[in-house]
Amino acid sequence: GAVVSQHPSWVICKSGTSVKIECRSLDFQATTMFWYRQFPKQSLMLMATSNEGSKATYEQGVEKDKFLINHASLTLSTLTVTSAHPEDSSFYICSAMIGAYNEQFFGPGTRLTVL
Amino acid sequence: DAKTTQPPSMDCAEGRAANLPCNHSTISGNEYVYWYRQIHSQGPQYIIHGLKNNETNEMASLIITEDRKSSTLILPHATLRDTAVYYCIVVAGGTSYGKLTFGQGTILTVHP
């Protein structure tokens, strides 16, 4: 099946710093990628839809100025958490859509801990 | 998108079939039923999807009732590695295309 990678797999940062997470589709091109967030013992929550060459679409309640998304190529989308705070600590997961039937392949996730 | 209802947890003996139910009584005609699973601390994994016909692939079978108001995911010979949270998701096309709304899912525990 299609492979999606994320980098880094985990990151620890100080409060107030910015963190960039990369999501890559390794063996296919993806015009659409998605970013999710998952807090402990909770389900995944969609944050935004990332479309190659255009602005991301954010879900209600997600601050677009805090969570910057860039989808500069058909194989790479990046999520930058700006001025991170402890409440931003979470598991961030990306997915890439392939095919005509909404099949999505997910990355392994990035564990962000903000001290 | 239609909401889904799944039991919070289920147990299954290794080697036996695991049958995971999902209710989606408000599903509309253009909505597909998708199943994903998430093993602890990993990204979700696509399993199978269907519209109205039963589907089978190398991982599982999907049985959708004739009125499409419920479905069952069948893992024919569960192994310990199938222990995960299983999500049943109903997705439409159109403006919601691609968006997956994850509920709480069913925690499946496969025991020896």
Side-chain angles (χ1 to χ4, degrees), chain B residues 6-18:
Chain B
Q6 299 177 252
S9 64
M10 293 183 66
D11 286 340
C12 177
E14 189 177 20
R16 304 296 293 269

Side-chain angles (χ1 to χ4, degrees), chain B residues 99-112:
Chain B
K99 290 188 177 183
L100 300 179
T101 301
F102 286 81
Q104 294 306 306
T106 295
I107 301 172
L108 174 68
T109 303
V110 181
H111 52 83

Side-chain angles (χ1 to χ4, degrees), chain B residues 38-92:
Chain B
Q38 185 178 26
I39 296 170
H40 183 62
S41 293
Q42 296 182 24
Q45 177 188 22
Y46 165 83
I47 301 173
I48 199 167
H49 76 275
L51 182 62
K52 54 183 178 180
N53 296 324
N54 297 336
E55 302 288 344
T56 296
N57 63 20
E58 65 278 5
M59 288 183 68
S61 294
L62 174 61
I63 307 299
I64 302 174
T65 58
E66 194 169 341
D67 63 7
R68 301 186 68 238
K69 293 184 177 183
S70 65
S71 60
T72 301
L73 177 74
I74 301 172
L75 307 178
H77 305 287
T79 70
L80 299 179
R81 286 179 292 183
D82 291 322
T83 293
V85 181
Y86 287 77
Y87 297 100
C88 168
I89 303 172
V90 174
V91 184

Side-chain angles (χ1 to χ4, degrees), chain A residues 34 36 38 43-44 46 59 91 97 99-104 106-108 111, chain B residues 32 34 36 38 41-44 46 49 87 91 97-100 102-104:
Chain A
F34 300 89
Y36 296 82
Q38 186 175 33
S43 191
L44 285 80
L46 178 65
E59 295 300 301
F91 192 47
M97 195 161 69
Y101 293 103
N102 206 18
E103 216 173 307
Q104 289 189 31
F106 287 79
R111 178 80 56 191
Chain B
Y32 285 75
Y34 281 75
Y36 286 80
Q38 185 178 26
S41 293
Q42 296 182 24
Y46 165 83
H49 76 275
Y87 297 100
V91 184
Y97 187 64
K99 290 188 177 183
L100 300 179
F102 286 81
Q104 294 306 306

Side-chain angles (χ1 to χ4, degrees), chain A residues 15-29:
Chain A
S15 185
T17 60
S18 295
V19 175
K20 179 185 284 189
I21 302 170
E22 294 185 347
C23 176
R24 294 181 184 272
S25 57
L26 297 186
D27 50 1
F28 66 101
Q29 293 182 331

Side-chain angles (χ1 to χ4, degrees), chain B residues 21-34:
Chain B
C22 179
N23 284 321
H24 31 81
S25 58
T26 59
I27 194 170
S28 59
N30 68 340
E31 292 180 317
Y32 285 75
V33 179
Y34 281 75

